[in-house]
Amino acid sequence: MWGGRFASGPAEIMEEINASIGFDKRLAPQDIRGSLAHVAMLGAAGILPPEDVAAIEAGLKTVESEIAAGSFVFDRALEDIHMAVESRLTEIVGPTAGRLHTARSRNDQVATDMRLWVRDTLDALDAQAADLQRALAETALKHAGTVMPGFTHLQSAQPVTFGHHCLAYVEMLGRDRGRFRDARVRLNECPLGAAALAGTSFPIDRHATAAALGFDRPTANSLDSVADRDFALEALSAASICAIHLSRFAEELVVWTSAQFNFVKLSDGYTTGSSIMPQKRNPDAAELVRAKSGRIIGALTGLMIVMKGLPLAYSKDMQEDKEGTFDALPALSLCLAAMAGMVRDLEPVADVMKRAAGSGYATATDLADWLVRELGMPFREAHHVTGRLVGLASGQGIGLEELPLTAMQEVEPRLTDAVYAVLGIENSVASRTSYGGTAPANVRTQAERWLKELGPA
Ligand code: ARG
C-alpha cells in the first residue's frame, strides 16, 4: 500500500514488530462503519462520483459479511486492519477501491475506530455495572436486617447489616458508572477527516461523518485528533477504579467464605473443588476478580507510559494502545458478570454473622453513647468509662452484656439496668438511624430507592 518509494520489502522481523493485524482485526466492524460513513460523505460532497461510491459501498458490505462469516484472511503482510480491508476491497471492486482513501489517513482512521470500539465497550460496561448494582440492591433488600460485624482495621468495630454492606458497593458502582458516562461524553468527538495530521484540501464535511457515526461533533484540531489517546486512558482509568472496587469485594468474599469466618456461602456455580482435598470449596471466581484488577491497572499504566513522551502528532508507539485496552475492558466485563452471578447465588450465614457481630465488644460505642445521652457525660469521659468496662469484661473473658450491674456500678455508680438494652446488637443496629446509617429501615429505603432508579433488568 505504501511501497512506491521502496525497492524491497520489509525484513521478517520488521514485519513482525510492525504488524497489528493480529489484534486490531477486532476493529473490523468499526473500520467498515467508518469507511461507509467516509465514502458516503465523499459522494455527498461531490468528491467522488455516485458510481464509485456505490461500488465501494457494495464492496465494503461484502468484506463485512466475509469477516462476519469468518472467511476473511487476515494476512500479516498487510500490517493492520485498515490495509487488510482496503486490500480485499481492491480485489473485489478493482482500482476504484483506491479512491476510498481520499481525504483520510490511517491516522484519523485508527483514532476513529478506537473511539467507536471504546464507546461501545463503555456502554456495555455501564449496563453490566447496573446489573451488578441490581443484584446487590436486591440482596440488600432481602438482608436489610441481617446483622454482621462492621470492621475497621479488620477488627470488629460496630454491628452493621449485611444489606448495608451490599449497598456500599452499590454506591461505588454508581460512581463507576458515572465515570464511564463522563468518559463517553469527552470521547464522543469524531477525528475522521483530520487526515494524517493537518486536515485536507478536499471539501469534506466532517460534521456529516461525525453525525453518521453517532458522534456529537467533529474534533476541532487535526493534530490533537490523531495524536491523543486520552479517551482510552480515561476508559481504562474508570475501568481500573471499578476493578479496584470489585477486587475489594472479591477479597471480602474470599475471607468470608473461609472456615474461620464462615459468613457467607458461595454457590456450586461459582466455586471449585480441590483434586486432592475433598472437603474444599475454593472461591476461584472471587480470586480471579481480585487478580484481574492487576491486569486492568497494568493496561492503564502501560498506556500512560507509552503516551507520556510522544511529540505531536501520530507516532507508531500509539499502536501499542490496543492490546492492553482490548484485554482490560473485556476483563472488567467478565469480572462484572462473575460478581453479579456470585451475588445472586450467595447465602449469608446469618447466625454466624450475628454471633460475630456481638463479639469483640462491638456495642462499646453504644454504651458510651448511652452514658452521654442518659447521664450527660462528655463523650471523652464516656469513652474512658466504657474502656474500663470493656477491660473488666475482657479480663473475665465475658461479653459486656454479661457483666453484672453491680460490677458495672463499681466503675460508674450511675449505671442502671436500662443500659442492657443498648448492649444488644439488634438495638445497636436499629438505633443507627442517621441519614446513611445502618438501621434496617434506612437500608430498606435506600435499597428500594436504588431498585426504582435502576429499573427492571
Ligand atoms: N496500525 C496503526 C495503529 O494502530 C494504524 C495507523 C498507522 N499509521 C501510520 N502512519 N503508520 O496505530
Side-chain angles (χ1 to χ4, degrees), residues 205-228:
D205 182 354
R206 293 193 56 210
H207 293 274
T209 42
L213 294 170
F215 288 106
D216 295 328
R217 65 192 77 83
T219 50
N221 179 292
S222 61
L223 291 170
D224 173 48
S225 311
V226 296
D228 210 350

Side-chain angles (χ1 to χ4, degrees), residues 2 18-21 23-24 27 79-82 105-110 114 229 314-322:
W2 40 253
N18 201 33
S20 53
I21 187 84
F23 44 89
D24 68 15
L27 293 175
E79 258 186 66
D80 58 24
I81 187 63
H82 325 294
S105 147
R106 276 189 293 157
N107 296 351
D108 56 336
Q109 201 179 344
V110 72
M114 274 303 272
R229 293 291 180 270
Y314 178 84
S315 295
K316 196 63 174 261
D317 309 51
M318 288 159 67
Q319 178 164 289
E320 291 288 318
D321 63 350
K322 292 183 189 61

Side-chain angles (χ1 to χ4, degrees), residues 85-105:
V85 169
E86 195 181 323
S87 154
R88 180 70 189 122
L89 185 68
T90 308
E91 287 171 7
I92 298 168
V93 309
T96 304
R99 298 190 189 281
L100 169 61
H101 215 52
T102 311
R104 109 180 156 176
S105 147

Side-chain angles (χ1 to χ4, degrees), residues 173 280 289:
L173 287 160
K280 293 268 278 192
V289 168

